[in-house]
Amino acid sequence: MINNELGNTGLNVSRIGFGGIPIQRLAQSEVNKIMKHLTEQGINFIDTARAYTVSESYIGEALKDGLREKFILATKTQARTYDAMKADIETSLKNLQTDYIDLYQLHLLKTREDYDLVMSENGAYRALKEAKAAGKIGHIGVTAHNAVFLESLLDEMPFETIQFPYNLVERQAEMLFERAKAKGIGVIVMKPLAGGALDNADLSIRFILENKNVDIAIPGMDSIEQVTQNAAIGAGNLPLSESECLQADQIALELGTQFCRRCGYCLPCAAGIDIPMQFLLEGYLTRYDLNDYATTRYVNQPVDASACIKCGLCEPRCPYHLPIREMLTRVTKAFAAVL
């Protein structure tokens, strides 16, 4: 496995890391085997989140007997206030059965108002700084889905790493990554297979690793076979051929006609729908096969896809000209079939 320095953190990470979303549907015994196999394949970075139901707990249980020191652990939370963040850090430590988390991230930062709240006196960042000073966490990062917004924060934000979607289809973060790398900010790529929309893992991950500004990609894995396959890609250094580059562009073109990149330009919705979230949850339902995870979050939204009034205001705003109304109807039908 080829390793990279994660920005200026001093962390030496395998360039393929383990994404902890899919293990929610496994048994603890299966997760134990996967964690052991990660060490055998040279993968030393694990990413999970408070929102991933049992993922933290599964990982903690699997690592408790001698494996913890073999990994760089990263988790994240959508907590925005001091008290909520302080509580979530303690919950993560307990779930992961450790006294130290290498990287704790603010999950899904979306707006300037969101950022200002986090950085306020009673915001989440103060709790993160205190936890770092106390030795409970090592480094502080952020995840987001809006490249323009995140890039606008680079000159002022205190975060040591960024985690952002990047793959054959979602390439909007390339300038963000270049600027982050120049500033010594670690670059972590999530959604390397576009939430399961891309089925050629070799092509997709090699495309990502060719970007010199990317430190690590974290595909979700739920089997020993996937670990072996992804580790082999990370251990190689085979550049894409001309024909593979053309294939990558063709895949992007084909998926681009019906694929949401979660840029958020379609918002605000007249009916109050978080439009990108509908397509993200649909992906968890139909591609990740996370039925319970997706449906629970879908029904707990203040407004879901079924509330679309077909006004069409969103569609001219979409830089990819997606038929959003038609796609929201598809989401509604998909969830109606399982609820």
Side-chain angles (χ1 to χ4, degrees), residues 80 109-120 149 153 156-159:
R80 297 294 183 254
L109 201 64
K110 294 181 179 180
T111 65
R112 182 72 206 197
E113 291 74 21
D114 211 14
Y115 176 76
D116 289 342
L117 172 59
V118 163
M119 301 306 297
S120 67
F149 164 64
L153 297 179
E156 61 181 290
M157 73 179 195
F159 308 118

Side-chain angles (χ1 to χ4, degrees), residues 163-183:
Q163 186 176 135
F164 201 90
Y166 181 59
N167 49 63
L168 296 179
V169 183
E170 300 173 281
R171 307 185 189 187
Q172 69 270 27
E174 289 180 344
M175 183 58 69
L176 167 67
F177 291 169
E178 182 176 344
R179 288 194 58 210
K181 190 72 170 182
K183 290 179 172 293

Side-chain angles (χ1 to χ4, degrees), residues 242-255:
E242 183 177 350
S243 63
E244 286 176 322
C245 289
L246 292 173
Q247 182 184 0
D249 289 339
Q250 183 61 33
I251 291 171
L253 180 64
E254 291 172 357
L255 277 179

Side-chain angles (χ1 to χ4, degrees), residues 94-334:
K94 180 180 178 181
N95 287 346
L96 291 165
Q97 300 192 41
T98 184
D99 58 4
Y100 179 79
I101 294 169
D102 299 274
L103 175 63
Y104 212 101
Q105 302 161 100
L106 280 159
H107 196 187
L108 299 181
L109 201 64
K110 294 181 179 180
T111 65
R112 182 72 206 197
E113 291 74 21
D114 211 14
Y115 176 76
D116 289 342
L117 172 59
V118 163
M119 301 306 297
S120 67
E121 176 62 23
N122 291 315
Y125 186 68
R126 180 163 68 94
L128 287 166
K129 285 198 302 180
E130 290 180 1
K132 184 175 181 179
K136 295 180 178 181
I137 63 175
H139 303 278
I140 302 171
V142 64
T143 83
H145 286 91
N146 186 322
V148 174
F149 164 64
L150 193 54
E151 190 174 354
S152 74
L153 297 179
L154 283 184
D155 291 332
E156 61 181 290
M157 73 179 195
F159 308 118
E160 301 168 83
T161 64
I162 59 172
Q163 186 176 135
F164 201 90
Y166 181 59
N167 49 63
L168 296 179
V169 183
E170 300 173 281
R171 307 185 189 187
Q172 69 270 27
E174 289 180 344
M175 183 58 69
L176 167 67
F177 291 169
E178 182 176 344
R179 288 194 58 210
K181 190 72 170 182
K183 290 179 172 293
I185 297 171
V187 174
I188 304 168
V189 166
M190 60 177 165
K191 307 292 190 300
L193 301 183
L198 301 171
D199 56 13
N200 189 329
D202 181 82
L203 178 66
S204 303
I205 295 175
R206 283 169 54 218
F207 168 84
I208 294 165
L209 297 181
E210 283 203 344
N211 188 323
K212 66 181 185 301
N213 299 312
V214 171
D215 296 319
I216 180 171
I218 51 170
M221 306 181 219
D222 63 3
S223 70
I224 286 176
E225 291 74 22
Q226 288 177 1
V227 171
T228 301
Q229 178 186 20
N230 291 332
I233 299 169
N237 203 16
L238 182 64
L240 295 183
S241 65
E242 183 177 350
S243 63
E244 286 176 322
C245 289
L246 292 173
Q247 182 184 0
D249 289 339
Q250 183 61 33
I251 291 171
L253 180 64
E254 291 172 357
L255 277 179
T257 61
Q258 286 275 313
F259 190 85
C260 175
R261 288 138 171 103
R262 300 185 293 282
C263 64
Y265 292 127
C266 56
L267 301 175
C269 167
I273 302 169
D274 183 343
I275 297 171
M277 179 58 69
Q278 309 313 301
F279 305 133
L280 181 63
L281 294 177
E282 180 193 27
Y284 287 141
L285 177 71
T286 62
R287 293 193 292 271
Y288 271 124
D289 193 29
L290 290 170
N291 192 310
D292 292 343
Y293 179 77
T295 54
T296 297
R297 278 150 184 77
Y298 184 78
V299 300
N300 285 332
Q301 296 178 107
V303 185
D304 63 39
S306 67
C308 177
I309 59 175
K310 311 298 183 188
C311 66
L313 292 176
C314 54
E315 293 182 0
R317 302 175 189 149
C318 176
Y320 305 104
H321 312 293
L322 297 178
I324 295 174
R325 288 172 289 182
E326 175 185 323
M327 293 167 68
L328 287 173
T329 298
R330 184 188 70 206
V331 173
T332 300
K333 290 179 179 178

